Amino acid sequence: DANAEKTKYSTGAGGGSGSGQMKLSLTNIDGADAGAAMVYNNVGNYLFFNVNGTSERLRIDSTGAVTMPAQPCFLARVGSNKLNVTGNGANYTIAYDTEIFDQGGDYASNTFTAPVAGRYQFNATAQVSGFSAANYCVMQLVASNRTISLIYLSAPRTTTTINGSHIVDMDVGDTAYIKLLAEGESSDVVDVYGGATESYFSGALLA
């Protein structure tokens, strides 16, 4: 089989920066590099795995902690106050417009797009204000396969921080974002506060 693979063992600096490394790589039967390897760094005392050439995809350190630098994961916040966004029935996509980190580059325009199929967890908080006559306020996780109400407030009257989290199934290219809806005011008078501590949205691939 021309596509069969075999293992090749080498020592030195291959598969990562620095010296003092032992590398177990996969090659095609004809000797061509298959682009995958397991590397042990005996200076830093950690083991890591490469895929697609020299890109590190998983590391196990001496304590047993596992990190995955390519695992989809993001955190964003509302950068500044968003005024008069709902209250009279308007569906508002919360503008978590300031990224803290975006591992994998899958978050943009307030929306996460799944790069691979799997189970993802999403978490959202929003500090909301401006209620005077609202019947209810609901915050929802809107994903391609399902929409989930994270929290429901009945007759809110004060500034409050609402939050919720959920795991959802996603296919490649599916999207997820957070929606806010309040009903009962004479106009859209409800605000979402932004800043360093008020309103955040995060997500990560679990399995």
Side-chain angles (χ1 to χ4, degrees):
D1 185 350
N3 295 317
E5 294 180 329
K6 63 181 180 180
T7 59
K8 180 176 66 176
Y9 174 81
S10 63
T11 61
S17 61
S19 60
Q21 296 189 145
M22 294 178 289
K23 177 182 178 182
L24 183 66
S25 62
L26 291 175
T27 60
N28 295 323
I29 197 67
D30 60 3
D33 190 355
M38 179 175 67
V39 183
Y40 175 68
N41 185 303
N42 56 19
V43 176
N45 195 20
Y46 59 84
L47 179 71
F48 66 95
F49 296 83
N50 289 345
V51 180
N52 293 331
T54 60
S55 299
E56 181 180 323
R57 298 306 187 194
L58 183 147
R59 177 182 294 200
I60 307 172
D61 73 7
S62 60
T63 70
V66 178
T67 55
M68 294 174 285
Q71 189 84 340
C73 185
F74 75 93
L75 174 64
R77 65 177 176 86
V78 176
S80 59
N81 296 344
K82 313 303 180 188
L83 305 179
N84 304 323
V85 296
T86 187
N88 192 29
N91 284 300
Y92 172 62
T93 299
I94 299 180
Y96 296 99
D97 50 11
T98 301
E99 290 185 6
I100 309 302
F101 61 82
D102 183 12
Q103 186 167 288
D106 305 303
Y107 182 80
S109 302
N110 313 311
T111 301
F112 173 81
T113 302
V116 296
R119 276 60 170 163
Y120 291 78
Q121 178 168 334
F122 295 99
N123 318 282
T125 63
Q127 189 174 99
V128 292
S129 182
F131 302 106
S132 62
N135 298 320
Y136 68 88
C137 178
V138 61
M139 182 170 69
Q140 295 179 320
L141 169 63
V142 181
S144 295
N145 290 335
R146 64 201 76 254
T147 296
I148 300 170
S149 293
L150 299 178
I151 190 167
Y152 180 96
L153 299 179
S154 178
R157 292 294 181 268
T158 61
T159 299
T160 186
T161 297
I162 56 178
N163 61 81
S165 62
H166 220 284
I167 297 172
V168 295
D169 55 312
M170 301 187 78
D171 302 312
V172 176
D174 281 358
T175 59
Y177 59 91
I178 301 298
K179 183 176 71 174
L180 184 71
L181 168 66
E183 183 76 67
E185 304 287 351
S186 60
S187 61
D188 291 329
V189 296
V190 175
D191 308 326
V192 177
Y193 287 160
T197 62
E198 286 81 3
S199 304
Y200 279 81
F201 181 32
S202 63
L205 173 63
L206 297 182

